[in-house]
Amino acid sequence: MVCYSGFSTSNYLRQPYNSELSFNAGNGYGVYGWFKHDTTNNGSYRTLVYRNSVGSIATGFQVLLNPQGELYYFIYGSSTSMSCQDSVGSYDNLWHMFYARTVNASSHQLWIDGLLRASSTTNIGNVTNTVAELHLGVYAGSASLTYAWAGGHM
């Protein structure tokens, strides 16, 4: 297990586009990991995983905590976008395991600590993106990096 902390808009992990990491929602994919966040709620989103174009939104996905500490899995598809959102806050300074899973283009799930917490049957189309980068700890979908995973560990 590897643990990282100290994230900010200038301190995050980045994987440039890599064709070996390309996938399509029709074939299914998933991303999982461990996280914990302190009890601080400063009214901001906190990004765990962002895979999409940098500086603009195309097709891809993200996993974030909202200002209430609720984890959500958001997908930008070629047809439409959708989200699976947990209704239980995670600003509790405890370790949690998440699994954001797309079974196919119209079956999406968000698992937390082994429990299915949210699902969607929205048909998103595909998520193919030949310039998508993978970011851990920061949101890269706007002109400047925002929503750093400050105050947490993953």
Side-chain angles (χ1 to χ4, degrees):
M1 178 177 188
V2 177
C3 178
Y4 294 97
S5 63
F7 289 97
S8 69
T9 55
S10 61
N11 187 25
Y12 56 92
L13 301 173
R14 174 183 168 256
Q15 167 69 52
Y17 175 74
N18 181 337
S19 62
E20 296 294 319
L21 299 175
S22 290
F23 53 86
N24 187 328
N27 299 328
Y29 65 90
V31 59
Y32 64 92
W34 290 86
F35 73 93
K36 80 173 184 174
H37 206 285
D38 64 22
T39 56
T40 304
N41 179 351
N42 69 353
S44 182
Y45 289 89
R46 300 292 184 203
T47 305
L48 278 161
V49 181
Y50 174 87
R51 186 182 189 280
N52 206 319
S53 299
V54 174
S56 64
I57 301 298
T59 53
F61 70 88
Q62 60 191 16
V63 179
L64 294 95
L65 281 178
N66 69 16
Q68 292 73 41
E70 301 161 339
L71 193 69
Y72 78 93
Y73 171 39
F74 193 91
I75 303 172
Y76 303 95
S78 60
S79 301
T80 191
S81 297
M82 76 96 235
S83 66
C84 292
Q85 182 171 325
D86 182 25
S87 61
V88 178
S90 298
Y91 283 132
D92 56 11
N93 210 29
L94 299 173
W95 283 101
H96 298 281
M97 182 183 180
F98 76 92
Y99 179 36
R101 178 181 184 213
T102 288
V103 179
N104 57 49
S106 59
S107 178
H108 319 282
Q109 302 170 339
L110 178 60
W111 296 76
I112 302 174
D113 297 332
L115 300 172
L116 178 62
R117 295 300 251 303
S119 63
S120 173
T121 56
T122 301
N123 188 332
I124 59 164
N126 71 62
V127 292
T128 303
N129 185 333
T130 58
V131 296
E133 293 187 0
L134 178 67
H135 288 75
L136 300 180
V138 71
Y139 174 82
S142 58
S144 60
L145 301 174
T146 58
Y147 306 139
W149 185 252
H153 309 277
M154 66 171 93

